[in-house]
């Protein structure tokens, strides 16, 4: 535990650093899809400021503030991390880097990876040099994820991987994929899966984007045809990949639930609605009442996220909280975007109209309660594991 | 701010409170009081006082245990689980917080009387059918060095059992809060037959005399004393309602596991599982808002309005969902008076109205969030 004085010292130092290093263009608080820096071998920075901001943060470990310093992080404690987010929010700074490497693979590697693997894979993630995607779902394995059929045949020094993944977000832009592969076809379905790291540039890896209702193609189909994956590119033990997958899903769910950003640090929904309702502000009584309810719930869910982080740090365990947060956060986010569309009226009905990405963002949220486990799967998890009802 | 995790002390307090309440104040105690036409158990309150609950917000110098608002909320939540009957919120939370805003010998004496269990208070604030302190019309007419109070108050919770009243009335240039004995000449208290079987009165004030000494805080400035007291009360009531929701939920999940239909336990049906799981999620989220409100009241009381209203709004909607699902999932038996769920439903309805309903507090949240 750091003393109050030490924490204040950290805050002041950080504040100065941010003041001097965060470019003005990066202080607009934008967190929409087009403003995000995803990094990767083929990443094209949208501005010099975006590049500078990433490089400066990476040099301090601030792209992954809580990771250990030797793996590219800043080694911040939970208390310092809170301060970090507060100070970033204070100047409305954009996140320097977002990626599946940060949200998902990183935490999984930190927990299950060998020291060598951590040293090899984590720093490039932290510096935004390698972009990862997640190969979980398959056409026949959606909610029933453990039914994955993509197979890896043992060929001595490597696995020969064949099969198809679907809903692989940004697979067409990613450099590497972490994938669930069946390496033992005889074992019960949860016991025959391995967690493999695969280079997307390997021969036999193909991707095909899927056009979504929002017009965007963030999801892809990914095909593996006789892809050779060296044996050292496995996380955890052979056939124990489900443990890694489950651990990682909790991180994914927390991320999709809205994290610390959208729900609490952000602007009040009512204020945003009032703005887009135009002159006179939020006069529609029904809309205003819905917005108030949404705001109440958003604040309380944000606090719950904080509470679980505090509990996790205190070692009292958050249990199956991630399922709850994922369910509550995504359902709320969908409501929020329904209200944003209603407030926008006919202006929100035009692609690239006066409200920009609003219709696309609205449609994007419909995937929130499906990806990473549907709301119904989340409720079943709570029912079985928390309430002890028969599964 | 302190962490949003129950401290070891708070967990111990909750455990010991639960043990006591399960033994001395289960739902059956409320049922027995109701059936006997009573709304107060003086012996129970005396025991609570001996354990330091009446003085939970009273300084140690006045004989209190001075455990703070988060601890008061822990106690209120436990009382909510068993629907324990006591003047805890009116007296130990609202009146004690109001009195603590005033530092004079008379307030110290009053605080000591609360801690010992001798003084019981009720807050006479509502005049219409909704909580709206700013619209108070009851007059306190200046006369000589004192005042004459005339008017009517309604939904005075614990108003029939209390031996003292905090009365909000309009004076020349604002609102003034009075602290007077409940049996003063000109006061007529009519206990009402409440749906939750708890104590509440309609009270008439007919030219009731009050002196300058009876004023709590400054004349025309009730709110600097009353606002912190209301916020403390709203947060503790929210805690009670979250406990109520947890109590009703526990009964419901228990029933899902034991009740058999179609040859299996009804808890194996996904339609019910998902509704029960949703309710648990709501209860968890509300628990965060309650914990946060307690921390804010203890650490930054001048800026606790948002946290308190958030807690009360969340607790109101969660408790109402819990009791509605509770009755529905119990089926026919949930509708019977012989079964306890109805007591939870009726208390939730009263709690929803007391000290501001969902809309009242959601408006405050909206205002605090800038819309």
């Amino acid at each position: 535990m750091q003393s109050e004085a030490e924490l204040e010292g950290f805050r002041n130092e950080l504040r100065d650093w941010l003041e001097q290093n965060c470019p003005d263009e990066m202080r607009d608080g934008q967190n929409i899809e087009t403003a995000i820096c995803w990094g990767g071998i083929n990443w094209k920075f949208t501005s010099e400021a975006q590049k500078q901001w990433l490089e400066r943060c990476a040099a301090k470990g601030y792209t992954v503030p809580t990771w250990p310093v030797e793996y590219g992080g800043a080694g911040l404690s939970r208390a310092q991390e809170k301060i970090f987010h507060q100070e970033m929010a204070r100047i409305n700074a954009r996140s320097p880097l977002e990626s599946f490497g940060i949200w998902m693979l990183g935490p999984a590697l930190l927990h299950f990876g060998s020291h060598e693997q951590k040293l090899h894979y984590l720093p490039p993630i932290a510096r935004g040099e390698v972009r990862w995607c997640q190969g979980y779902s398959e056409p026949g394995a959606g909610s029933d994820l453990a039914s994955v059929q993509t197979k890896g045949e043992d060929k001595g020094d490597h696995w020969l991987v064949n099969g198809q993944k679907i809903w692989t977000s940004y697979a067409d832009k990613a450099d590497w994929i972490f994938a669930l592969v069946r390496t033992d076809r005889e074992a019960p379905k949860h016991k025959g899966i391995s967690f493999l790291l695969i280079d997307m540039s390997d021969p036999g890896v193909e991707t095909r984007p899927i056009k979504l209702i929002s017009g965007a193609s963030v999801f892809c189909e990914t095909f593996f045809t006789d892809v050779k994956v060296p044996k050292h590119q496995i996380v955890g033990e052979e056939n124990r990949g489900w443990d890694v997958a489950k651990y990682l899903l909790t991180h994914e769910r927390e991320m999709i639930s809205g994290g610390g950003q959208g729900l609490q640090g952000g602007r009040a929904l009512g204020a945003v609605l009032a703005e887009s309702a135009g002159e006179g502000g939020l006069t529609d009584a029904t809309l205003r009442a819905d917005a108030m309810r949404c705001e109440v719930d958003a604040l309380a869910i944000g606090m719950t996220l904080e509470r679980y982080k505090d509990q996790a740090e205190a070692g009292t365990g958050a249990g199956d909280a991630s399922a709850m947060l994922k369910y509550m956060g995504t359902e709320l986010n969908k409501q929020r975007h329904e209200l944003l569309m209603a407030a926008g009226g006919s202006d929100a009905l035009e692609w690239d109209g006066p409200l920009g990405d609003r219709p696309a963002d609205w449609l994007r949220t419909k995937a929130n309660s499906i990806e990473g486990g549907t709301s119904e799967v989340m409720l079943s998890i709570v029912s079985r594991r928390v309430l002890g009802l028969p599964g | 701010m302190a962490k949003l995790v129950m401290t070891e002390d708070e967990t111990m307090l909750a455990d010991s409170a639960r043990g006591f309440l399960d033994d001395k104040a289960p739902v059956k105690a409320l049922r027995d009081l109701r059936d006997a036409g009573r709304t107060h158990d003086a012996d129970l309150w005396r025991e609570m006082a001996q354990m330091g609950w009446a003085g939970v917000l009273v300084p140690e110098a006045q004989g209190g245990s001075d455990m703070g608002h988060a601890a008061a909320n822990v106690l209120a939540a436990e009382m909510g689980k068993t629907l324990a009957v006591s003047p805890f919120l009116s007296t130990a939370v609202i009146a004690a917080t109001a009195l603590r805003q005033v530092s004079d010998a008379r307030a110290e004496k009053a605080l000591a009387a609360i801690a010992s269990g001798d003084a019981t208070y009720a807050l006479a604030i509502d005049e219409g059918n909704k909580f709206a302190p700013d619209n108070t019309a009851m007059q306190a007419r200046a006369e000589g060095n004192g005042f004459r109070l005339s008017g009517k108050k309604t939904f005075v919770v614990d108003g029939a059992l209390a031996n003292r009243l905090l009365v909000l009335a309009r004076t020349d240039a604002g609102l003034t809060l009075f602290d007077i004995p409940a049996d003063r000449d000109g006061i007529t208290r009519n206990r009402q037959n409440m749906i939750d079987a708890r104590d509440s009165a309609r009270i008439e004030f007919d030219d009731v005399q009050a002196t300058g000494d009876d004023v709590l805080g400054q004349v025309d400035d009730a709110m600097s004393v009353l606002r912190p007291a209301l916020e403390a009360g709203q947060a503790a009531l929210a805690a009670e309602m979250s406990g109520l929701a947890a109590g009703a939920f526990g009964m419901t999940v228990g029933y899902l596991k034991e009740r058999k239909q179609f040859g299996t336990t009804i808890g194996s049906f996904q339609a019910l599982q998902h509704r029960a799981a949703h309710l648990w999620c709501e209860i968890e989220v509300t628990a965060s808002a309650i914990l946060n409100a307690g921390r804010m009241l203890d650490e930054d009381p001048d800026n606790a309005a948002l946290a308190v209203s958030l807690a009360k709004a969340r607790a109101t909607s969660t408790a109402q969902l819990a009791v509605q699902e509770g009755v529905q999932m119990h089926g026919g038996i949930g509708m019977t008076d012989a079964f306890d769920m109805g007591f939870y439903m009726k208390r939730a309805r009263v709690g929803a109205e007391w000290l501001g309903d969902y809309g009242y507090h959601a408006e405050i949240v909206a205002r605090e969030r800038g819309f």
Side-chain angles (χ1 to χ4, degrees):
Chain A
M1 277 301 285
Q2 286 125 328
S3 68
E4 288 290 324
E6 282 169 321
L7 289 174
E8 268 320 288
F10 170 74
R11 185 190 293 278
N12 292 331
E13 214 171 282
L14 176 67
R15 198 173 276 193
D16 289 346
W17 185 88
L18 286 172
E19 210 39 69
Q20 283 161 25
N21 289 280
C22 183
D24 286 344
E25 297 106 295
M26 296 291 107
R27 299 188 192 199
D28 59 3
Q30 285 284 14
N31 59 2
I32 55 168
E33 206 93 10
T34 48
I36 293 174
C37 176
W38 292 98
I41 294 168
N42 299 313
W43 180 249
K44 302 265 184 296
F45 289 100
T46 55
S47 67
E48 185 58 25
Q50 192 188 52
K51 180 165 184 274
Q52 270 183 353
W53 183 221
L54 170 62
E55 287 172 356
R56 290 172 182 175
C57 283
K60 292 285 282 185
Y62 287 161
T63 55
V64 285
T66 58
W67 290 11
V69 175
E70 62 178 326
Y71 305 135
L76 300 193
S77 66
R78 165 92 178 106
Q80 286 174 319
E81 184 201 8
K82 270 189 186 174
I83 291 174
F84 179 80
H85 290 303
Q86 285 164 2
E87 290 302 314
M88 289 279 282
R90 201 180 60 84
I91 63 162
N92 231 3
R94 287 193 199 178
S95 166
L97 179 68
E98 298 286 341
S99 76
F100 292 82
I102 293 177
W103 299 326
M104 296 188 260
L105 181 63
L109 274 176
L110 284 168
H111 197 268
F112 292 96
S114 66
H115 178 61
E116 289 71 29
Q117 285 177 324
K118 290 177 198 173
L119 276 180
H120 182 73
Y121 292 109
L122 294 178
I125 292 174
R127 292 193 295 265
E129 292 166 358
V130 172
R131 183 168 178 179
W132 286 82
C133 67
Q134 180 192 44
Y136 269 31
S137 298
E138 295 180 7
S143 286
D144 182 14
L145 182 61
S147 292
V148 288
Q149 294 302 320
T150 294
K151 66 173 178 187
E153 286 172 81
D154 194 330
K155 297 287 182 185
D157 64 340
H158 68 274
W159 283 287
L160 193 66
V161 175
N162 280 284
Q164 181 194 348
K165 294 290 176 182
I166 194 168
W167 314 127
T168 37
S169 312
Y170 301 109
D172 53 335
K173 299 185 171 67
D175 309 309
W176 280 70
I177 184 168
F178 47 93
L180 298 183
V181 175
R182 187 157 302 282
T183 43
D184 184 347
R185 305 189 75 77
E186 310 302 318
K189 66 178 181 180
H190 292 91
K191 301 276 170 69
I193 298 169
S194 293
F195 190 99
L196 303 186
L197 308 179
I198 305 174
D199 188 337
M200 298 288 280
S201 66
D202 281 348
V205 182
E206 268 181 278
T207 63
R208 193 184 301 155
I210 303 167
K211 189 171 179 184
L212 300 178
I213 53 175
S214 66
S217 304
V218 293
F219 296 123
C220 295
E221 293 175 287
T222 302
F223 302 89
F224 301 98
T225 312
D226 289 338
V227 179
K228 290 180 183 174
V229 180
K231 281 280 174 78
H232 62 84
Q233 287 174 203
I234 183 173
V235 180
E237 289 172 42
E238 186 174 351
N239 296 326
R240 299 295 300 272
W242 187 248
D243 297 342
V244 186
K246 267 197 311 188
Y247 178 83
L248 198 150
L249 274 171
T250 64
H251 281 269
E252 179 179 13
R253 285 168 191 158
E254 277 168 26
M255 185 265 292
I256 298 171
S257 72
Q261 291 152 24
L263 293 179
Q264 38 183 354
R267 291 177 65 200
L269 174 64
V272 180
L273 294 182
E275 199 172 276
S276 56
E279 278 173 48
L282 201 51
T283 49
D284 181 320
T286 311
L287 195 54
R288 186 160 192 279
D290 287 346
M292 291 196 300
R293 197 169 276 276
C294 204
E295 191 72 21
V296 164
D297 293 344
L299 289 168
I301 291 170
M303 277 167 200
T304 306
L305 193 74
E306 286 299 311
R307 177 160 73 93
Y308 282 150
K309 283 190 192 169
D310 284 344
Q311 274 183 11
E313 194 193 36
T316 42
D320 291 289
S322 69
M324 184 272 274
L325 285 171
K326 203 266 174 185
Y327 165 64
M328 296 293 270
T330 56
E331 292 297 333
L332 182 78
N333 202 34
K334 288 197 295 183
Q335 265 178 43
R336 188 180 159 89
H337 282 265
E338 286 294 333
L339 294 177
L340 283 164
M341 286 298 285
S346 61
D347 283 347
L349 304 181
E350 301 171 19
W351 298 114
D352 304 315
L355 295 174
D357 289 330
R358 188 169 298 189
D361 290 345
W362 161 66
L363 290 163
R364 175 66 182 85
T365 61
K366 301 306 174 198
N368 291 165
S369 51
I370 300 168
E371 59 197 335
T374 62
S375 286
E376 290 70 23
V377 168
M378 297 304 105
L379 289 172
S380 290
I381 289 174
V382 169
S383 164
R384 199 170 57 245
R385 298 200 202 141
V386 181
L387 309 187
L389 294 172
Chain B
M1 197 169 80
K3 291 175 187 304
L4 291 179
V5 183
M6 294 254 282
T7 63
E8 218 167 288
D9 284 351
E10 286 164 354
T11 306
M12 277 167 55
L13 181 66
D15 289 346
S16 73
R18 194 172 312 133
F20 173 82
L21 293 165
D22 283 345
D23 181 34
K24 296 288 176 66
V27 183
K28 185 173 184 308
L30 167 61
R31 178 186 295 279
D32 290 347
L33 279 177
R34 181 199 67 174
D35 293 347
R38 294 167 54 210
T39 55
H40 182 46
D41 179 348
D43 293 337
L44 180 67
W45 183 238
R46 196 151 296 282
E47 281 192 71
M48 288 181 175
Q50 279 160 8
M51 290 187 295
W53 295 7
V56 66
L57 296 174
V58 173
E60 287 176 12
Q62 278 81 52
S65 53
D66 203 11
M67 290 189 274
H69 294 283
N73 289 355
V74 166
L75 291 174
E78 292 305 325
M79 291 186 212
K81 284 181 191 161
T82 64
L83 304 179
V85 178
S86 88
F88 179 76
L89 294 182
S90 308
T91 302
V93 178
I94 297 173
T97 305
L99 287 160
R100 274 194 92 153
Q101 310 305 313
V102 183
S103 44
D104 61 26
R106 203 189 59 90
E108 284 179 5
K109 206 174 137 208
L111 281 165
I114 286 178
S116 68
D118 293 335
T120 45
Y121 273 86
L123 175 64
I125 188 166
D126 287 7
E127 296 176 6
N129 65 351
K130 287 285 174 182
F131 180 73
D134 293 339
N135 298 343
T136 297
M138 179 167 156
Q139 291 290 327
R141 182 167 46 82
E143 188 190 82
N145 289 331
F147 299 88
R148 291 282 182 166
L149 278 63
S150 287
K152 290 179 184 176
K153 293 288 184 183
T154 185
F155 192 26
V156 182
V157 173
D158 297 331
L161 70 85
N163 52 33
R164 295 198 69 89
L165 298 174
L166 294 181
V167 187
L168 185 64
R170 195 158 288 283
T171 40
D172 279 349
L175 294 172
T176 301
L177 189 63
F178 295 88
D179 174 1
I180 55 178
D183 59 359
R184 187 165 284 179
D185 281 351
I187 296 177
T188 310
R189 298 190 282 171
N190 290 303
R191 194 177 98 192
Q192 301 299 305
N193 190 13
M194 301 297 284
I195 56 171
D196 66 345
R198 296 282 292 267
D199 196 272
S200 179
R202 290 181 186 262
I203 303 184
E204 288 184 31
F205 297 82
D206 180 16
D207 217 26
V208 175
Q209 201 166 9
T211 68
D213 270 358
D214 294 329
V215 173
L216 208 52
Q218 303 298 314
V219 174
D220 297 330
D221 181 26
M223 282 306 159
S224 31
V225 170
L226 189 55
R227 187 194 49 78
L230 288 174
E231 287 179 358
Q234 286 153 346
L237 176 58
E240 185 201 303
M241 294 177 81
S242 75
L244 178 158
F249 177 70
M251 285 173 71
T252 304
V253 172
Y255 190 70
L256 293 181
K257 288 177 182 173
E258 107 200 357
R259 169 73 174 166
K260 287 196 170 147
Q261 286 288 276
F262 306 104
T264 182
T265 54
I266 60 172
S268 64
F269 302 139
Q270 200 175 56
L272 296 183
Q273 289 181 345
H274 284 193
R275 279 166 55 186
H278 172 79
L279 177 54
W280 179 81
C281 293
E282 295 283 352
I283 289 172
E284 276 293 290
V285 168
T286 295
S288 313
I290 305 287
L291 205 49
N292 181 61
R295 296 278 180 262
M296 284 298 287
L297 285 170
D298 282 331
E299 293 170 30
D300 191 7
D302 292 341
N303 295 302
L306 174 63
V308 168
S309 284
L310 187 66
K312 177 64 165 68
R314 278 290 317 182
T316 296
S317 61
T318 301
Q320 290 185 309
L321 179 66
V323 296
Q324 287 173 51
E325 290 290 58
V327 169
Q328 179 66 23
M329 291 195 201
H330 275 89
I333 196 175
M335 289 300 301
T336 63
D337 184 69
F339 196 70
D340 287 341
M341 188 56 77
F343 284 88
Y344 285 87
M345 177 167 269
K346 289 176 273 194
R347 179 61 183 168
R349 185 88 277 290
V350 173
E353 292 297 328
W354 192 21
L355 301 175
D357 63 8
Y358 185 92
Y360 177 90
H361 289 285
E363 276 292 347
I364 292 178
V365 170
R367 194 184 70 213
E368 293 280 326
R369 293 284 287 162
F371 68 102

